[in-house]
Amino acid sequence: MENQTWSGDILLLEGLKVTPQYSFPVFILLLLLYIFIMVSNIGLTVLICMERSLHQPMYLLFCNLSINDVIGATAIIPCLLGNIFTASANRYISYIECVIQAFFFHLHIGTSLSVLMIMAYDRHVAICNPLQYSNIMTNKMLLKLSAFAWGVIIFMVGILIGLSVRLSRCRITISYPFCDNASLFKLSCDSVLINNIYGLGYTVVLLGSSLGSTVLTYLKIAIACLTSKNRVLNSRALQTCTTHLALYVIMMVSGLSSVALHRFPYLAEKGKVASILIMVVPPALNAVIYGLQIKQIRLKIVALFYRNKVTLMDMQ
């Protein structure tokens, strides 16, 4: 198998090594997390879209993050759930499905980082230039920034996956719980030098621009807060920036852990767990952090539940 070209369209997912006694608890945990991700993110998106008072750039940008989390989780978690009770020798996936899964996995990671970059810029304008905020962060600017966050990543990920799809295949086993770009080009016995060069460049550009812009933005925000004696400004900066930084740190720690563990074969099982966590932890916590930390959203959620409670009591 190592020395011949494989032209079949069916691949074998190695997946997680879950013992029978832990299969059901793992399935229930993943299922509950998936339901929570879908309900919380879709619920917050609908709430922000319906409430005109929440039609502000910060919240509308968060809708991008929620939609991206829903897409990413849906591309990965159902497949994981379906394979838990399937014997490792029977965990098949078509090559087309594998390519689509890899595309949406990298799209999710890239779009999360790009949206968080734009959210950092939004906080910078709001805190460092509040009088011009409404003139800078217009609906047109918001649309352009959102299109940039998605468009650039779709283009770059398209090239990333396209370089792997062009390769012939001599293997059929995906060693991870789901498909990603590294899993795709590891199926080939051809030279993957171009894939490694572009993949490294893509990672450096994405992480470098994300870290660089975020650090620079928050340095400017910190300077603005230190030079200003306005307590209202400092309090507002602390509240909104803490929320954004929490989301950013969760995303970066999850992503870097997965990338690092992917490079060490002897940590393969830990790498598999880390790769799943990056698709579960940030999407699950994003909505919680924003829903509970941002006062306007929290008040709207409380008012909605109170209104529903009153309606049910009236019906009774």
Side-chain angles (χ1 to χ4, degrees):
M1 186 64 69
E2 293 293 325
N3 298 319
Q4 64 182 4
T5 299
W6 175 259
S7 58
D9 291 327
I10 302 300
L11 303 176
L12 181 65
L13 275 172
E14 187 176 290
L16 284 172
K17 294 180 180 179
V18 182
T19 56
Q21 61 266 34
Y22 290 111
S23 295
F24 190 72
V26 170
F27 177 85
I28 294 298
L29 177 61
L30 274 178
L31 179 61
L32 291 176
L33 284 171
Y34 179 60
I35 293 172
F36 178 77
I37 290 170
M38 299 299 288
V39 172
S40 59
N41 283 284
I42 292 176
L44 268 180
T45 301
V46 172
L47 176 64
I48 292 171
C49 291
M50 291 181 63
E51 292 290 340
R52 294 186 62 85
S53 61
L54 298 177
H55 289 183
Q56 301 175 33
M58 180 173 62
Y59 306 129
L60 295 176
L61 284 172
F62 178 71
C63 286
N64 283 275
L65 206 59
S66 289
I67 292 170
N68 182 50
D69 286 340
V70 168
I71 293 173
T74 301
I76 302 299
I77 299 179
C79 178
L80 294 175
L81 291 172
N83 286 331
I84 289 178
F85 294 111
T86 304
S88 57
N90 297 320
R91 292 173 180 171
Y92 298 114
I93 184 173
S94 72
Y95 183 71
I96 297 298
E97 290 175 333
C98 189
V99 170
I100 293 173
Q101 195 175 70
F103 176 83
F104 280 107
F105 168 72
H106 290 282
L107 176 65
H108 169 74
I109 303 300
T111 304
S112 294
L113 291 176
S114 63
V115 170
L116 286 171
M117 274 193 288
I118 295 171
M119 292 173 75
Y121 171 72
D122 172 74
R123 293 300 82 210
H124 168 258
V125 175
I127 294 168
C128 298
N129 200 2
L131 297 178
Q132 295 297 320
Y133 180 76
S134 59
N135 294 328
I136 296 174
M137 294 302 293
T138 61
N139 290 335
K140 186 177 181 180
M141 174 60 75
L142 189 62
L143 183 61
K144 288 181 179 179
L145 291 174
S146 298
F148 169 82
W150 288 87
V152 172
I153 300 301
I154 288 174
F155 177 75
M156 295 178 68
V157 171
I159 296 176
L160 184 75
I161 302 300
L163 289 173
S164 296
V165 170
R166 70 183 174 87
L167 300 171
S168 61
R169 285 166 278 147
C170 63
R171 305 181 182 93
I172 64 169
T173 303
I174 302 292
S175 60
Y176 261 52
F178 54 85
C179 299
D180 61 0
N181 183 59
S183 299
L184 285 177
F185 69 68
K186 285 179 181 178
L187 296 174
S188 177
C189 292
D190 297 341
S191 172
V192 294
L193 178 62
I194 296 177
N195 299 71
N196 284 323
I197 292 174
Y198 182 82
L200 179 61
Y202 169 78
T203 303
V204 169
V205 169
L206 183 62
L207 292 180
S209 59
S210 177
L211 280 171
S213 62
T214 302
V215 169
L216 181 61
T217 297
Y218 276 97
L219 279 176
K220 291 182 178 180
I221 291 174
I223 293 172
C225 291
L226 290 174
T227 56
S228 172
K229 297 181 180 180
N230 189 333
R231 292 186 178 181
V232 175
L233 173 67
N234 293 340
S235 176
R236 183 182 180 187
L238 181 62
Q239 180 185 8
T240 58
C241 292
T242 299
T243 303
H244 177 266
L245 278 176
L247 298 181
Y248 189 80
V249 169
I250 290 169
M251 190 68 211
M252 290 300 295
V253 170
S254 301
L256 291 175
S257 299
S258 177
V259 171
L261 291 172
H262 211 314
R263 298 296 183 266
F264 301 99
Y266 61 92
L267 296 175
E269 288 304 311
K270 292 181 179 179
K272 292 177 183 180
V273 174
S275 67
I276 293 174
L277 289 179
I278 194 175
M279 300 304 297
V280 173
V281 175
L285 292 181
N286 286 349
V288 173
I289 292 173
Y290 248 83
L292 297 180
Q293 180 69 19
I294 302 299
K295 183 179 180 180
Q296 291 90 330
I297 293 181
R298 187 170 66 248
L299 292 176
K300 291 295 180 183
I301 293 174
V302 171
L304 181 63
F305 275 103
Y306 179 77
R307 190 188 313 146
N308 290 338
K309 183 179 179 181
V310 171
T311 302
L312 287 174
M313 290 177 64
D314 291 340
M315 290 175 63
Q316 292 175 351

